Amino acid sequence: MGSFSLFHWAIVLLVVLLLFGAGKLPSVMGDFAKGIRSFKAGLKDGDDEERKPIA
C-alpha cells in the first residue's frame, strides 16, 4: 500500500501535463533544476562557514 504502481504515476503525469501544458513543462523543470543547484550551492557555502575557525 505504501508504493505507487505504474498506473498511479501515469495519472500523476497526466495531471501535471493538464495543469502546466506540454509547452510550458520544460521551462518549469528548468526553473526547478536551477532551484536545486542554488540550494546545493547554499549548503556548500554553509559548510565552509562552519569549518572556519572563529578568531
Side-chain angles (χ1 to χ4, degrees):
M1 184 169 173
S3 65
F4 289 105
S5 68
L6 184 60
F7 182 69
H8 289 110
W9 287 115
I11 291 175
V12 169
L13 179 63
L14 180 68
V15 169
V16 167
L17 285 175
L18 287 173
L19 288 176
F20 295 109
K24 196 173 182 180
L25 196 58
S27 65
V28 170
M29 294 309 291
D31 292 342
F32 181 71
K34 286 178 186 176
I36 295 293
R37 277 188 234 124
S38 175
F39 179 73
K40 285 183 179 180
L43 286 178
K44 202 175 205 181
D45 291 342
D47 288 345
D48 291 342
E49 291 175 3
E50 289 177 6
R51 293 181 186 158
K52 291 180 183 176
I54 299 174

